[in-house]
Amino acid sequence: MTRDTTRRAVLAAALAGGTGGLALSSAANLLDTFAPLSGEAWAAADRPRPETVPSPHGDAAVRVDEYGVPHVSADDETAAYFAVGYLQAYDRLFSMDLQRRLMRGRLSEAVGEATVESDEFHVAMGFAEAAEATWELVRETPAGPLVEAYAEGVNAAIDAEPLPLEFTLVGHEPRPWTPVDSMLMEKQISWTLTGDFSELRRALVADRLGADRAAALFPRRLDHDSPILDGDERRLGGREAGSAADEPPTSTSGAPPVDADLTAWLSGFESPTGVGSNSWVVAGEHTESGSPIVAYDPHLSLMAPPLWYEQHVETPERSVRGATFPGVPFVIAGANDRGTWSFTNVGADVLDCYRYEVDEAGERYRYDGEWRAFDTETETIPVSGGEDRELERKRTIHGPLIEREGRRVGVAWTGHTATRTTVAIDELGRSEGFDDALEATRKFDLPTQNLVYADADGRTMYYATGKLPIRRIDGEVVAGDRIFDGSAGEGEWSGFEPFGRSSWNGFVPFEEKPHAIDPDVLSTANQRVIDDPRHYVGVVYATPYRGSRIADRLEAAVDGDEPITPAFNRELQRDVRDGRAAQFVPDLVAAVAEADGGGDDASASSESASARAVDAAETLDAWEYRMAADSRAALVFARWLDRYRDRVFGQSFDAADLDETYYPNDWVLARLPDDDPLFDDRSRAAIMVAALEEALDEIDEAGWETYGDWNSTRAITHPFGGEAPFLNYEELPADGSPATVMNYRVDDAVGSSWRMVVRPGTDATAVIPGGNSGDYFSDHYDDQLRAWLANDQKAMSLDIEAVEADETVAFRGDSS
């Protein structure tokens, strides 16, 4: 039976059951009900790729390879990007429309009341207005006509092609695509990576637990020795890294917290938990070929279809291939015929929160010694099947004012102004070497990213991109990890114009951002950038588990006798050793050994260890700390760690009315001293044993045998997978954990969302978690899923003539 026949049978079964037949899960997160199904669903099931498409911009030829990757060639750039828009819309139109609706606050117009609160947040934040300001800037650059041509291509596909199945299920049609919508995708990506209200949570924790206790459990600087930079790297102009004397101290007390309910509500719209990435570069002197190698895997939300879309564009101005987000014309991370580039999240602090003195009517706020009226506008949020909502949007001199049930907080975010990131990405695609790439990097305003670059000339580079604010109180530079008094003008950003065009003259100069010119070996895994930064960057960095493991393995390889190959880098991307296990397991094994033998019926609250706990400890003692899908020990450790974390933090945090989202990270948990107040009258060993008994209960009840029984691809779902489960991917066992290089986080559906290994100017490989098509009936809906699980990367050739086409599309100009 063919895959197409199988999928048609699945749809037929769903249709036979009517709308109710689709509502098979209570895990729905977007839809309350589907629109009535009709024969239109069958039209969506029959969407052959067109053989020819008329184009107002001239000819373009497209070869679609065996993995559904389009390879576009054209003599004119606008013709190429008209084709790119058409092809992205053909493959991913529903994803594009969904993200656009999310950021505009228009989800409820399509799916009903379930998403009203999301719409209220996104309208209040003004992402759409920020995108409009960005387009006004971008349209004046060489990228502008290409973005316009791309939008025309999207709209041509909307007009000419049957709509994907999801539009039939939801019962709405997409509006025309605009260049502003593509800028909105830039804002969406940036918000996903930098939207962070951690200062609100820090203030709340300090209020509930006390400043000293909060400082101990949530240190601003984790005590490890694995930063990205060691401070001795060569910088622009040959200067060394700046002294820590210039960095402002972080906050130790701060203002009282914003209301806990408002803080919790805002936290629901932040960057997803666990978002991160790996990247590294090895200079040619250490590689087998003599050419540098860049390896990259960004850890973002995993879903069906994937976040990323692979494409290849060749014109007289560029030959670039790699991954982009649907809705974005240009390759974001990838390679051209001269260089390669990748991005991981810095964790920089580019969002500040403000308190204001507000009058009793709530219509004015005090600023600079006088009362000012809020910039106010009423907006309507359409709600399908329900009553439309009216939202009064308010803004201050710093940016949006977020209000909810009488509580309010002001927000400043670097994405709220016109940004040039689209221009930077366009220029990277056309770059011909180091100088071009460096100049493009200057324009990368948002998000703050660790750029890792290498080129065919052997040049390498690391740069912390994005605009970094400098804050002051009474003329003194301060860190941004606090809530500022907006009425007093504390911490405001000089040179920043919300929803306009900023001069950025009060931000960290480009030459003073952390960077390294021509590093030999350098890796990033979201850990802190440098121990002693010249300027404040932030405090929200990842634990060092991934960073330390990558650095250790690269150092060992460089010190070894064998030069480094692309195959070594792909194998390193598959590394599943969990540094947390190395910290916890010896103590757990010792705790079980010291416990009395209480028999199989030992209580989970007892200090005794049951026979099954002793067996589990023996399994863990022989384990190599690898989070492999076929490992019993990995299963026991993963389920034990969750139980142990709850038992250590739960009692104290519950008493302070702080839920598990406020728990300290695992690095802090592993290094708690025996006399920490969290242990109170309980010993660490007793808690460890009790948590193990509880974990074994869970494992037995669920019937799990190995790690992959629990750690599976069940987390990778379609946005409508709760209502239409057939849209989800197959459930398969997966390797990896939140702390391993091969990153997979089954609890929050985050992991390696794209992997590539590139030798610039020569060869490259890549894979995505699923398939390049968002069409459920396409062979390319999930054809890379198993390869992604194994990190079996396919070739990513830049030779368009060598591409074997499974399909072709001819875009014909008016004169053709």
Side-chain angles (χ1 to χ4, degrees):
M1 181 179 292
T2 67
R3 178 178 303 181
D4 182 65
T5 302
T6 301
R7 289 187 168 161
R8 285 174 181 268
V10 170
L11 178 60
L15 289 170
T19 301
L22 290 170
L24 302 179
S25 169
S26 61
N29 60 354
L30 282 179
L31 299 179
D32 290 329
T33 60
F34 277 117
L37 291 169
S38 69
E40 294 177 4
W42 295 113
D46 187 17
R47 300 176 69 239
R49 198 182 297 272
E51 294 182 1
T52 60
V53 175
S55 168
H57 295 283
D59 293 352
V62 179
R63 304 181 186 191
V64 181
D65 69 21
E66 61 180 320
Y67 294 100
V69 177
H71 302 256
V72 180
S73 60
D75 291 334
D76 184 89
E77 290 252 282
T78 56
Y81 281 98
F82 176 88
V84 168
Y86 196 103
L87 295 163
Q88 281 193 18
Y90 177 85
D91 284 327
R92 296 291 192 91
L93 180 60
F94 184 73
S95 298
M96 294 164 61
D97 187 62
L98 192 67
Q99 293 301 322
R100 168 176 62 170
R101 284 184 173 278
L102 172 71
M103 294 301 287
R104 285 188 177 277
R106 289 296 181 268
L107 276 176
S108 303
E109 183 179 31
V111 303
E113 296 187 358
T115 56
V116 166
E117 289 192 10
S118 171
D119 286 345
E120 289 175 344
F121 171 78
H122 287 88
V123 168
M125 284 291 286
F127 295 117
E129 289 85 350
E132 290 169 2
T134 295
W135 172 238
E136 290 303 313
L137 186 156
V138 171
R139 72 188 308 170
E140 300 170 1
T141 73
L146 307 184
V147 176
E148 290 177 322
Y150 169 89
E152 291 178 51
V154 172
N155 291 327
I158 291 174
D159 291 340
E161 300 294 337
L163 293 175
L165 176 64
E166 293 93 333
F167 287 103
T168 302
L169 298 179
V170 179
H172 78 86
E173 295 185 359
R175 292 189 177 93
W177 192 264
T178 70
V180 173
D181 291 326
S182 289
M183 302 303 102
L184 199 57
M185 297 304 96
E186 176 193 311
K187 302 301 178 183
Q188 190 270 335
I189 298 161
S190 299
W191 181 257
T192 297
L193 294 169
T194 65
D196 181 81
F197 293 105
S198 57
E199 58 261 61
L200 300 183
R201 291 192 302 280
R202 279 194 297 269
L204 186 63
V205 168
D207 182 66
R208 299 279 175 86
L209 300 180
D212 291 343
R213 194 76 190 113
L217 294 177
F218 301 91
R220 265 82 177 168
R221 176 166 163 170
L222 300 179
D223 53 347
H224 66 81
D225 57 0
S226 300
I228 295 172
L229 303 177
D230 61 22
D232 295 327
E233 291 83 5
R234 186 163 74 89
R235 291 166 50 88
L236 291 177
R239 295 177 294 156
E240 293 185 352
S243 162
D246 295 315
E247 184 189 14
T250 54
S251 173
T252 56
S253 56
V258 169
D259 177 74
D261 290 340
L262 178 57
T263 297
W265 188 75
L266 289 170
S267 296
F269 302 106
E270 287 183 303
S271 305
T273 302
V275 163
S277 303
N278 302 323
S279 66
W280 59 87
V281 61
V282 179
E285 66 183 273
H286 301 300
T287 68
E288 183 178 66
S289 66
S291 298
I293 298 175
V294 168
Y296 177 48
D297 58 294
H299 308 157
L300 298 170
S301 296
L302 299 173
M303 61 182 64
L307 283 176
W308 296 96
Y309 180 81
E310 186 178 354
Q311 66 186 39
H312 180 190
V313 177
E314 184 170 285
T315 69
E317 288 80 12
R318 78 184 80 208
S319 178
V320 59
R321 180 173 178 180
T324 188
F325 292 100
V328 176
F330 309 116
V331 166
I332 295 172
N336 63 18
D337 51 357
R338 298 300 301 163
T340 183
W341 53 94
S342 64
F343 301 97
T344 67
N345 206 24
V346 171
D349 185 354
V350 296
L351 183 151
D352 282 351
C353 293
Y354 299 88
R355 289 178 165 278
Y356 300 98
E357 181 183 353
V358 179
D359 67 13
E360 291 186 6
E363 296 177 353
R364 299 182 302 166
Y365 67 105
R366 196 161 186 82
Y367 176 76
D368 198 22
E370 63 181 21
W371 289 102
R372 296 194 178 197
F374 290 110
D375 177 0
T376 303
E377 183 176 332
T378 299
E379 297 196 28
T380 299
I381 298 175
V383 180
S384 176
E387 185 177 346
D388 292 351
R389 304 294 202 276
E390 298 292 326
L391 179 73
E392 187 177 59
R393 173 192 56 72
K394 292 181 179 178
R395 291 176 185 158
T396 73
I397 193 171
H398 303 115
L401 185 80
I402 308 298
E403 291 186 296
R404 188 165 179 80
E405 298 178 352
R407 306 295 182 179
R408 58 182 66 89
V409 64
V411 178
W413 177 54
T414 52
H416 274 139
T417 192
T419 48
R420 300 171 296 171
T421 301
T422 295
V423 177
I425 292 297
D426 172 42
E427 291 185 1
L428 278 172
R430 291 186 281 106
S431 61
E432 297 183 359
F434 180 87
D435 291 340
D436 288 346
L438 182 64
E439 186 60 30
T441 302
R442 288 180 180 273
K443 300 180 179 71
F444 202 102
D445 295 332
L446 184 81
T448 42
Q449 297 284 281
N450 298 303
L451 165 68
V452 171
Y453 168 87
D455 63 32
D457 297 323
R459 301 295 304 272
T460 61
M461 174 174 60
Y462 162 84
Y463 227 105
T465 72
K467 299 300 186 183
L468 299 174
I470 297 175
R471 295 93 164 169
R472 288 180 171 83
I473 297 179
D474 297 330
E476 297 293 324
V477 174
V478 298
D481 62 331
R482 67 195 73 199
I483 302 170
F484 291 105
D485 183 347
S487 290
E490 291 183 352
E492 57 192 11
W493 306 343
S494 175
F496 181 72
E497 182 65 34
F499 308 105
R501 193 172 299 192
S502 297
S503 70
W504 306 108
N505 59 20
F507 287 65
V508 174
F510 181 77
E511 290 77 10
E512 296 178 12
K513 296 176 188 176
H515 65 275
I517 304 301
D518 292 318
D520 279 350
V521 180
L522 184 145
S523 58
T524 80
N526 315 113
Q527 73 271 46
R528 68 173 173 270
V529 175
I530 190 170
D531 285 341
D532 299 318
R534 181 168 183 178
H535 298 276
Y536 169 76
V537 177
V539 297
V540 184
Y541 297 118
T543 55
Y545 299 112
R546 287 181 290 115
S548 296
R549 180 64 173 169
I550 295 168
D552 288 349
R553 289 202 56 186
L554 289 174
E555 181 180 1
V558 167
D559 291 342
D561 296 330
E562 295 294 325
I564 294 173
T565 65
F568 166 83
N569 287 275
R570 287 188 290 269
E571 191 275 328
L572 178 50
Q573 289 178 330
R574 273 196 54 80
D575 190 291
V576 292
R577 187 181 189 275
D578 194 318
R580 301 174 304 172
Q583 291 177 310
F584 286 110
V585 167
D587 289 344
L588 172 58
V589 170
V592 173
E594 293 171 5
D596 296 332
D600 288 334
D601 296 327
S603 167
S605 63
S606 168
E607 293 186 4
S608 300
S610 67
R612 64 176 184 170
V614 173
D615 289 343
E618 291 174 354
T619 299
L620 289 168
D621 195 31
W623 183 39
E624 296 180 344
Y625 309 144
R626 297 183 69 254
M627 304 301 288
D630 61 357
S631 169
R632 173 74 176 182
L635 171 66
V636 173
F637 172 71
R639 304 317 304 132
W640 169 81
L641 183 56
D642 281 354
R643 302 294 185 172
Y644 178 65
R645 190 185 300 114
D646 288 341
R647 282 180 169 267
V648 171
F649 296 127
Q651 182 173 304
S652 297
F653 278 66
D654 285 348
D657 198 21
L658 297 169
D659 63 27
E660 65 274 9
T661 63
Y662 286 89
Y663 289 176
N665 63 49
D666 288 340
W667 181 262
V668 170
L669 175 62
R671 300 167 73 86
L672 288 173
D674 288 337
D675 61 352
D676 191 276
L678 285 166
F679 296 122
D680 195 18
D681 57 350
R682 310 169 296 168
S683 74
R684 182 201 304 272
I687 296 174
M688 285 185 160
V689 173
L692 180 59
E693 298 285 4
E694 192 174 358
L696 293 173
D697 283 342
E698 178 192 19
I699 291 169
D700 289 345
E701 290 172 9
W704 298 323
E705 294 294 335
T706 62
Y707 184 53
D709 293 337
W710 173 73
N711 197 65
S712 74
T713 57
R714 73 181 190 280
I716 307 177
T717 61
H718 188 280
F720 295 166
E723 296 76 17
F726 62 85
L727 292 172
N728 296 332
Y729 289 151
E730 179 183 5
E731 184 172 338
L732 298 168
D735 297 326
S737 79
T740 58
V741 178
M742 190 171 193
N743 202 256
Y744 185 65
R745 314 175 190 202
V746 70
D747 283 332
D748 50 20
V750 169
S752 300
S753 59
W754 159 262
R755 297 193 191 100
M756 71 177 189
V757 174
V758 181
R759 290 191 308 152
T762 54
D763 57 77
T765 57
V767 68
I768 57 175
N772 214 42
S773 175
D775 184 345
Y776 171 74
F777 296 96
S778 169
D779 289 340
H780 309 302
Y781 186 70
D782 58 2
D783 57 338
Q784 295 182 58
L785 180 62
R786 290 176 181 267
W788 170 78
L789 285 167
N791 197 28
D792 181 14
Q793 298 183 22
K794 58 183 175 54
M796 193 174 80
S797 173
L798 281 168
D799 183 1
I800 204 163
E801 296 301 324
V803 173
E804 293 188 13
D806 271 11
E807 299 176 85
T808 60
V809 183
F811 286 81
R812 300 298 189 194
D814 293 337
S815 61
S816 298

